Amino acid sequence: MSAPALPAQSNRLPLTPKRTLATFSIGVVGFMSANLVPYMMAALEQSLGIDTGASGTVLTACLLATAISCLLVTRLAEGERRTTVARVGLLVAALGFGTAAFAPAILWLTIGAVVLGGIGAGGAVAAGGAALAAFRNPNRVAGINGLTNRAFVSIVLAAIPLIGIGMQSTFGLLAALAVLVFLIAGWLPSAPLVEIETQAVQTTVATKPVDAAKQRRITIAGFALLTMFAVWAVSEDSLWAMGIKIGTQQAQLTPEQAGLALSASTAVGLVAATILAVVGARGGRALPLAFLLALGGALKLSACLATDPTVFLWSFIAWNTVYTVAFLYFIATATALDAGGRWSGPVLGVYLIGSSFAPLVGAWLAQLLGVGGLGIVLTVISWGLIVPLVLVARLSSRVERDETAAQLAKPRGDLNTIEAGAI
């Protein structure tokens, strides 16, 4: 009886212009609806004559549809059907958002179209997120992805008010972007190549339980990471949702100063993403994440306790900078755990689920405990995640190192190469 073959080792791919453009563009389009929420709410209110509460409910349904569809198709996006998932998602998004933008302003039709667009966006999010895991150096890839997203979103957020906030300039823009990215979806990288040992290279049966145990640890770590990311999203976006109210009512900021805090936070986040893209794998993930969660928790508490405008502004901007970098390290950890995109595919979906409930949770905690109590709860959440997240990040780094070492150590002549999606 022959001994079993050694486990497959992934060949993560280098970034090339076509792969880069397709992967990051699909991710930007899939997540764009979340970034345009304030403008889309205003457009819905103007077009349908509904109030803020109703428009917010429609957009919450849209984001939840994106998150749920992302999670439902994430297994399809792990393998050879990734491009199909992306194309179908982009077409559905274009159909939904295009209908909302250009069809008659009928309440039920517009709401259905917006939710349909959200469902399609979920497919794009799943495909783009899974594709991130196909590339080498997850830290750098996450940084470039964040840089691309922030840069494009900043341009769109600045351009829409100049054009005029309306259904065509918001939902129509999303539909047009979905169509454009559909044209280059074929450049999306499929699951990376894997190397399978031939019968000429044997190992002992005793290694099999060890490998199975390792896979169980990775699976447990992956589900733990998804859970922690959703909880963290609620914590972070609760402060974002309450930021203007805290700044104007407690820290005596003017509405103009509160708007400055939001825009400055976005701009500084762009710089933070650039730094991570340059730093790449240096410094690992575990220690940076521990530091970022500890500092982020302290800054959230500082912002919630601040009564001075200057203290609030600096605390809020610094917190959002830390948040941006931590977010990207979460993505890098997910991509490093599995080269096929098993965890990077759904990770943005679970983030959207947490983010969708953040305004409700933030408002409820502030009403129940006061703004100071809100800050304490948000801080405790950040600090409570440090230890389990560090354990997952350390495992992701070991997985990445093992893949690289195995790849360098194995002679090319002894290996058969196949697509991971075919396994």
Side-chain angles (χ1 to χ4, degrees), residues 153-222:
V153 168
S154 297
I155 294 172
V156 171
L157 289 177
I160 287 179
L162 299 178
I163 301 172
I165 299 175
M167 297 296 286
Q168 288 75 35
S169 63
T170 53
F171 295 100
L173 173 65
L174 274 174
L177 290 174
V179 172
L180 289 175
V181 175
F182 173 85
L183 300 176
I184 61 172
W187 297 342
L188 193 70
S190 59
L193 300 175
V194 299
E195 295 173 336
I196 303 297
E197 293 286 353
T198 64
Q199 292 299 317
V201 182
Q202 302 293 340
T203 184
T204 63
V205 179
T207 61
K208 190 171 181 179
V210 176
D211 298 326
K214 180 179 179 181
Q215 288 302 315
R216 283 195 297 272
R217 288 197 299 272
I218 293 174
T219 300
I220 293 171

Side-chain angles (χ1 to χ4, degrees), residues 350-393:
V350 299
Y351 178 86
L352 280 176
I353 288 178
S355 180
S356 298
F357 290 100
L360 177 64
V361 172
W364 178 74
L365 286 175
Q367 183 177 15
L368 181 66
L369 304 174
V371 174
L374 169 67
I376 293 172
V377 172
L378 301 185
T379 299
V380 169
I381 291 175
S382 288
W383 291 351
L385 292 175
I386 291 175
V387 173
L389 187 56
V390 164
L391 294 176
V392 173

Side-chain angles (χ1 to χ4, degrees), residues 3-344:
L6 284 169
Q9 299 295 338
S10 65
N11 284 330
R12 295 190 191 239
L13 306 171
L15 284 170
T16 62
K18 287 185 176 181
R19 291 171 185 158
T20 301
L21 180 61
T23 301
F24 296 153
S25 296
I26 288 172
V28 166
V29 171
F31 224 65
M32 181 61 72
S33 56
N35 291 295
L36 293 183
V37 164
Y39 293 159
M40 291 193 295
M41 287 178 62
L44 286 171
E45 291 165 20
Q46 294 172 12
S47 175
L48 300 177
I50 57 179
D51 59 21
T52 301
S55 66
T57 301
V58 174
L59 269 301
T60 295
C62 175
L63 294 180
L64 284 176
T66 300
I68 292 171
S69 65
C70 172
L71 296 178
L72 289 177
V73 304
T74 185
R75 294 304 297 268
L76 297 176
E78 292 174 22
E80 58 189 2
R81 289 170 286 189
R82 180 177 298 162
T83 300
T84 302
V85 170
R87 284 173 169 162
V88 172
L90 290 167
L91 283 179
V92 173
L95 175 62
F97 292 134
T99 300
F102 299 105
I106 302 172
L107 182 63
W108 65 267
L109 177 62
T110 301
I111 293 174
V114 171
V115 174
L116 180 64
I119 292 172
V125 170
L132 292 176
F135 300 112
R136 300 169 187 167
N137 199 331
N139 286 21
R140 178 163 293 141
V141 170
I144 296 173
N145 183 56
L147 174 62
T148 304
N149 189 287
R150 287 274 178 165
F152 192 79
V153 168
S154 297
I155 294 172
V156 171
L157 289 177
I160 287 179
L162 299 178
I163 301 172
I165 299 175
M167 297 296 286
Q168 288 75 35
S169 63
T170 53
F171 295 100
L173 173 65
L174 274 174
L177 290 174
V179 172
L180 289 175
V181 175
F182 173 85
L183 300 176
I184 61 172
W187 297 342
L188 193 70
S190 59
L193 300 175
V194 299
E195 295 173 336
I196 303 297
E197 293 286 353
T198 64
Q199 292 299 317
V201 182
Q202 302 293 340
T203 184
T204 63
V205 179
T207 61
K208 190 171 181 179
V210 176
D211 298 326
K214 180 179 179 181
Q215 288 302 315
R216 283 195 297 272
R217 288 197 299 272
I218 293 174
T219 300
I220 293 171
F223 281 114
L225 179 66
L226 296 182
T227 302
M228 288 187 288
F229 201 31
V231 173
W232 185 78
V234 175
S235 168
E236 300 300 299
D237 284 2
S238 290
L239 179 58
W240 179 259
M242 297 295 294
I244 291 181
K245 184 174 182 179
I246 295 172
T248 55
Q249 295 186 5
Q250 178 168 295
Q252 287 82 50
L253 264 68
T254 64
E256 292 76 16
Q257 289 174 320
L260 173 63
L262 297 180
S263 60
S265 298
T266 302
V268 176
L270 186 65
V271 176
T274 304
I275 293 173
L276 180 58
V278 173
V279 171
R282 291 190 292 271
R285 281 179 286 274
L287 288 179
L289 271 170
F291 172 75
L292 290 167
L293 261 66
L295 179 58
L299 289 170
K300 282 189 289 187
L301 183 60
S302 175
C304 288
L305 296 179
T307 56
D308 179 79
T310 303
V311 173
F312 175 82
L313 280 172
W314 283 108
S315 298
F316 194 83
I317 292 172
W319 158 73
N320 198 53
T321 304
V322 170
Y323 152 81
T324 299
V325 182
F327 178 94
L328 297 178
Y329 270 108
F330 267 102
I331 303 301
T333 302
T335 61
L337 277 176
D338 184 86
R342 183 182 183 188
W343 308 112
S344 63

